[in-house]
Amino acid sequence: MNQKTIKDAQDRAVKMLEDAKIVLSEEEKKNIEVCDYNLGKLDTIGTEIVIYLNTDRCCAKELILFPGQTCPEHIHPQLGEYPGKEETFRCRWGEVYLYVPGEPVKEPKAIIHDEERRKHMTVWHEIVLKPGEQYTLKEQTLHWFQAGPQGAIVSEFSTQSFDKQDIFTDPEIIRLSNIN
Amino acid sequence: MNQKTIKDAQDRAVKMLEDAKIVLSEEEKKNIEVCDYNLGKLDTIGTEIVIYLNTDRCCAKELILFPGQTCPEHIHPQLGEYPGKEETFRCRWGEVYLYVPGEPVKEPKAIIHDEERRKHMTVWHEIVLKPGEQYTLKEQTLHWFQAGPQGAIVSEFSTQSFDKQDIFTDPEIIRLSNIN
């Protein structure tokens, strides 16, 4: 991604947060992480992330997803004595479709933007999260999610994040990141 | 507290959350914990609490404080192998004054409502948190906080909570609670 793509996505995320009345500091606005998973299709496969804190004991983030934008299938692995990340997604604004192992849904709400990429995202059990709804993923649960037609803002409450260690199903993905 | 006091406080907390555009489920609204620390002075010493999750690995809450309402001085102790709770307070709405051990502030912003109770709340280092500002308390940090003149909504991101085990400086306090 070039600097303009990143800045535009940050500005768009800030606008969504403002609409949802979620206040960031100026420093946090400048540091919004824009992740396209090295696929170059940010509008459809990407995530905008505000990291509030990430200590060795807990982590909190705000995830911003543009309309139809997908966070692709991945798992947070065990790392030595760390059993893997436990995370809770709480929808604050918009709508998000979350897929986890389980009985496959017949008519998934997620949009197929790209067959080549989507074959690496399994349509299993679908959880629809609207504002005020949340779901907890225990460690080592493979998952992916996509925002609905308005986009979504999702609070993530979790144990420590080791984002660079995340394992994605799609072999093309590199979780390039300027964060830990 | 009688049921009316609790219901009135819940309704008032719900109204503040709605003003701040923080969405709760109907179940969460009914379960807002109203804590007066057994002092019977809820308007000045009390906290309204929404528990989003509290697993053995992490915890997230929304704390609602009415104008000038105080959460009194306490510490989250070590419990066996658990080193004590680490918690981050992020102000979402209003303003909060947080006191932690350190150089005492000369003109504290907190209001003295009651000399008898306030002698158990030490005015040390003062941290003023406005929306978008946060502060992390490492384990075993004694602390108390009070909302500013509008009240406050504070997101708490932490390790597991064992609220009943909290140790309060004021000997009159009992952290009665219907939660773990």
Side-chain angles (χ1 to χ4, degrees), chain A residues 33-37 42 45-49 63-65 69-72 145:
Chain A
E33 185 193 2
V34 177
C35 179
D36 76 347
Y37 304 96
L42 182 67
I45 303 185
T47 316
E48 291 66 46
I49 307 165
L63 310 178
I64 302 99
L65 296 164
Q69 202 182 29
T70 299
C71 172
F145 48 95

Side-chain angles (χ1 to χ4, degrees), chain A residues 33-81:
Chain A
E33 185 193 2
V34 177
C35 179
D36 76 347
Y37 304 96
N38 204 42
L39 296 176
K41 300 164 181 281
L42 182 67
D43 280 349
T44 52
I45 303 185
T47 316
E48 291 66 46
I49 307 165
V50 180
I51 303 169
Y52 290 143
L53 84 149
N54 188 22
T55 74
D56 60 348
R57 299 189 66 198
C58 64
C59 175
K61 300 178 181 178
E62 219 74 76
L63 310 178
I64 302 99
L65 296 164
F66 303 142
Q69 202 182 29
T70 299
C71 172
E73 187 177 300
H74 66 285
I75 195 166
H76 306 289
Q78 184 173 350
L79 299 166
E81 291 188 2

Side-chain angles (χ1 to χ4, degrees), chain A residues 127-147:
Chain A
I127 299 135
V128 178
L129 296 176
K130 296 184 181 182
E133 297 176 338
Q134 64 182 46
Y135 190 84
T136 298
L137 298 172
K138 287 291 173 186
E139 51 273 14
Q140 297 176 57
T141 305
L142 205 56
H143 60 287
W144 64 281
F145 48 95
Q146 185 181 91

Side-chain angles (χ1 to χ4, degrees), chain B residues 119-133:
Chain B
K119 72 183 185 193
H120 303 295
M121 296 177 221
T122 318
V123 174
W124 296 295
H125 180 54
E126 180 183 75
I127 298 134
V128 178
L129 297 177
K130 296 184 181 183
E133 297 175 340

Side-chain angles (χ1 to χ4, degrees), chain B residues 3 20 35 44 47 57 61 69 102 109-110 127 130 133 153:
Chain B
Q3 286 303 310
C35 179
T44 53
T47 316
R57 300 188 68 198
K61 300 177 180 177
Q69 201 182 31
K109 289 179 177 277
I127 298 134
K130 296 184 181 183
E133 297 175 340
I153 300 174

Side-chain angles (χ1 to χ4, degrees), chain A residues 76-120:
Chain A
H76 306 289
Q78 184 173 350
L79 299 166
E81 291 188 2
Y82 181 76
K85 186 184 181 195
E86 175 192 297
E87 60 191 357
T88 294
F89 295 124
R90 184 176 177 88
C91 184
R92 299 291 196 166
W93 187 92
E95 189 172 49
V96 68
Y97 315 129
L98 171 65
Y99 299 90
V100 298
E103 186 66 30
V105 65
K106 286 191 180 142
E107 293 185 28
K109 287 178 176 281
I111 299 161
I112 298 174
H113 293 291
D114 176 332
E115 288 286 355
E116 181 55 31
R117 301 272 70 80
R118 266 298 293 283
K119 72 184 183 190
H120 304 295

Side-chain angles (χ1 to χ4, degrees), chain A residues 1-17 29 32-36 42-43 46-49 64-66 69:
Chain A
M1 284 181 292
N2 62 34
Q3 286 304 310
K4 186 176 182 310
T5 304
I6 292 170
K7 182 69 170 61
D8 287 351
Q10 287 177 327
D11 289 349
R12 202 173 163 193
V14 165
K15 176 73 172 60
M16 286 175 65
L17 290 161
K29 288 179 192 173
I32 293 175
E33 185 193 2
V34 177
C35 179
D36 76 347
L42 182 67
D43 280 349
T47 316
E48 291 66 46
I49 307 165
I64 302 99
L65 296 164
F66 303 142
Q69 202 182 29

